Amino acid sequence: MPPNPKYCMDTSSYITAWCHHYSPTIFESLWKKVGEALNQGIIISPREVLDELERGSDDLLKWAKLHKAAFVELEEKPQEILSDIMRSHPKIIDLNIAEIQADPYVIALAKHTNTIIVTEEKSAVDSKKKLKIPDVGKNYKVKCIPFGKLIEMEGWKF
């Protein structure tokens, strides 16, 4: 694991930024900065985020695989946090989906590394179906921001 990560990025931010707001064909220099932050260990994600990205074999997946070292396996302590999250917030995953869901892994890794979660998910406290990262993250005292706020906090200019 990188020594001093600052952010733990969720799948939703990679996909939303890449596909909807900051296309790499237009914002090439942004994605270069994100890649550098991944390579330097400033941004990390659990391996399960890469697994979710693999469900759509496209240019984002190819780009993410160039930065594979930033997608880390959860070690023992974050696994304990993950178990606690699943026990106390079982609705963090959708039981109707068979594939691995990265949300609880993102929260566990962020809590363990004391990083800020970057996610496009919005709070949905009253959701009957599935809890959202910001709601569960709040219970673990983990701050959540959208991708645009990451750009602002890092002072990236284009």
Side-chain angles (χ1 to χ4, degrees), residues 31-50:
W31 289 100
K32 185 175 185 213
K33 286 213 181 267
V34 174
E36 289 168 359
L38 288 165
N39 292 341
Q40 295 166 4
I42 294 167
I43 299 173
I44 58 172
S45 294
R47 172 70 172 96
E48 289 73 14
V49 166
L50 188 59

Side-chain angles (χ1 to χ4, degrees), residues 26-74:
I26 299 168
F27 295 95
E28 184 178 334
S29 59
L30 168 63
W31 289 100
K32 185 175 185 213
K33 286 213 181 267
V34 174
E36 289 168 359
L38 288 165
N39 292 341
Q40 295 166 4
I42 294 167
I43 299 173
I44 58 172
S45 294
R47 172 70 172 96
E48 289 73 14
V49 166
L50 188 59
D51 293 343
E52 286 186 339
L53 293 175
E54 285 177 348
R55 293 184 199 147
S57 57
D58 56 13
D59 290 338
L60 172 56
L61 175 61
K62 290 176 196 157
W63 177 87
K65 285 185 173 182
L66 295 174
H67 309 286
K68 203 169 187 172
F71 296 88
V72 299
E73 296 288 339
L74 264 60

Side-chain angles (χ1 to χ4, degrees), residues 89-141:
H89 299 86
K91 284 176 43 177
I92 188 65
I93 62 167
D94 183 341
L95 295 174
N96 296 317
I97 298 174
E99 295 97 353
I100 291 283
Q101 296 168 56
D103 290 4
Y105 293 85
V106 169
I107 299 164
L109 183 59
K111 175 66 177 174
H112 174 68
T113 56
N114 195 30
T115 54
I116 297 169
I117 294 175
V118 180
T119 183
E120 303 314 297
E121 289 189 6
K122 304 283 188 251
S123 177
V125 181
D126 299 324
S127 175
K128 302 283 187 253
K129 187 176 180 186
K130 181 181 174 299
L131 292 171
K132 299 296 183 182
I133 288 175
D135 300 319
V136 177
K138 184 184 283 185
N139 291 335
Y140 286 86
K141 297 178 175 47

